[in-house]
Amino acid sequence: MKLILLGPPGAGKGTQAKLLVERKSIPQLSTGDMLREAVANQTEVGKKAKAVMDAGNLVSDDIVNAIVSERLDADDCANGFILDGFPRTLEQASALEKMLADKGLQLDHVIELKVDDEALVERISGRYTCAKCGEGYHDKFKKPETDGVCDKCGSTEFKRRPDDNAETLRTRLMAYYKETSPLLGFYFAKGQLTSIDGMGEIAEISGEIDKVLES
Ligand code: ADP
Ligand code: ADP
Ligand code: ZN
């Protein structure tokens, strides 16, 4: 199963990707996570990406395409993968087509999560993750079962992203509408796009995604 989750920042791509990893045993390929790791490790890529990410702008296509191309070669991608946050520009979409063609692979589905802008602001401003295992949480919509303790790994340390603030979100949303939303037309024209309502409960949306994957 090779699929892309498309949607604006805060739409729930990461949340749904992590749940799909459990259900389908295929990896989540999040370019945001990969870039944040590069920033944390102060690699060459990380040094180039940090200021761009903090401002809410898109990292250059060359950098991101190279990261994804390398990641797709890993053994764990042999049975499929979930692309979360990539592609984000038409150029990245073309680069992905070429990467997949070179490897003799084809995408199965592109799923758009549709969420209202006001809901995105609320989701982004309440988002935090476990500092140890990366499990995602929300102040209002997805609290750990025991206050302050990660459901998955028991850690009591959590973190918030520096770019998850109302001001940077505006820049990120602009980037989405300008650079990423044209991909909806691109994949619709290829007959690969399914749009689903991302405004419901997390479990409900997982059910809708499963319906698409079974179709
Ligand atoms: P993305 O990866 O698209 O940026 P996330 O999956 O990180 O989005 O979700 C953003 C925030 O919204 C997280 O705090 C997450 O827990 C929460 N969230 C995800 N899906 C839903 C949903 N269906 N309803 C309410 N909150 C959600
Ligand atoms: P979200 O889903 O909440 O928008 P991500 O974790 O996917 O956040 O991305 C965080 C930041 O990383 C983006 O604002 C951008 O700077 C950078 N980034 C992630 N993926 C890409 C990509 N495919 N192309 C360019 N920049 C990217
Ligand atoms: Zn954890």
Side-chain angles (χ1 to χ4, degrees):
M1 179 66 58
K2 292 169 283 299
L3 67 132
I4 296 176
L5 293 180
L6 261 184
K13 303 180 296 296
T15 301
Q16 294 300 334
K18 286 197 166 63
L19 292 167
L20 275 166
V21 167
E22 289 170 12
R23 298 205 294 285
K24 305 283 173 194
S25 305
I26 49 175
Q28 169 193 13
L29 273 47
S30 158
T31 43
D33 286 348
M34 294 179 213
L35 289 166
R36 278 185 289 279
E37 198 182 313
V39 170
N41 293 333
Q42 298 186 320
T43 65
E44 282 309 307
V45 163
K47 283 178 199 160
K48 282 184 198 151
K50 187 179 185 311
V52 179
M53 292 172 75
D54 284 346
N57 292 310
L58 293 183
V59 174
S60 79
D61 291 329
D62 289 353
I63 291 182
V64 182
N65 290 341
I67 297 179
V68 173
S69 174
E70 197 187 322
R71 183 65 185 84
L72 285 176
D73 286 332
D75 290 344
D76 65 341
C77 292
N79 292 321
F81 45 79
I82 306 148
L83 285 167
D84 158 15
F86 179 91
R88 249 178 162 93
T89 64
L90 283 169
E91 178 158 344
Q92 291 177 19
S94 306
L96 177 65
E97 299 252 289
K98 186 164 184 312
M99 284 175 219
L100 294 176
D102 288 348
K103 297 177 210 292
L105 302 174
Q106 249 189 322
L107 277 178
D108 296 298
H109 296 281
V110 179
I111 300 178
E112 178 201 9
L113 298 176
K114 283 175 97 78
V115 175
D116 298 347
D117 289 352
E118 300 89 85
L120 295 176
V121 178
E122 200 178 12
R123 287 189 188 180
I124 291 278
S125 36
R127 166 160 69 181
Y128 63 99
T129 53
C130 170
K132 199 169 158 205
C133 75
E135 180 68 4
Y137 293 99
H138 191 280
D139 290 326
K140 192 163 147 195
F141 306 123
K142 190 181 174 237
K143 296 182 187 173
E145 273 167 38
T146 309
D147 220 17
V149 182
C150 175
D151 297 341
K152 281 275 145 70
C153 75
S155 168
T156 53
E157 275 178 57
F158 297 88
K159 57 184 182 186
R160 288 178 196 261
R161 282 169 43 180
D163 58 340
D164 275 351
N165 58 74
E167 196 199 334
T168 309
L169 177 62
R170 266 195 295 278
T171 311
R172 289 160 63 198
L173 267 180
M174 290 286 274
Y176 178 78
Y177 289 117
K178 208 169 143 203
E179 307 274 1
T180 310
S181 65
L183 299 189
L184 297 171
F186 178 85
Y187 287 116
F188 176 79
K190 294 165 75 71
Q192 290 175 315
L193 182 75
T194 309
S195 298
I196 65 177
D197 182 2
M199 291 292 290
E201 301 270 326
I202 292 172
E204 245 176 274
I205 297 163
S206 296
E208 292 302 312
I209 291 177
D210 279 345
K211 281 190 209 157
V212 176
L213 300 185
E214 281 155 22
S215 68

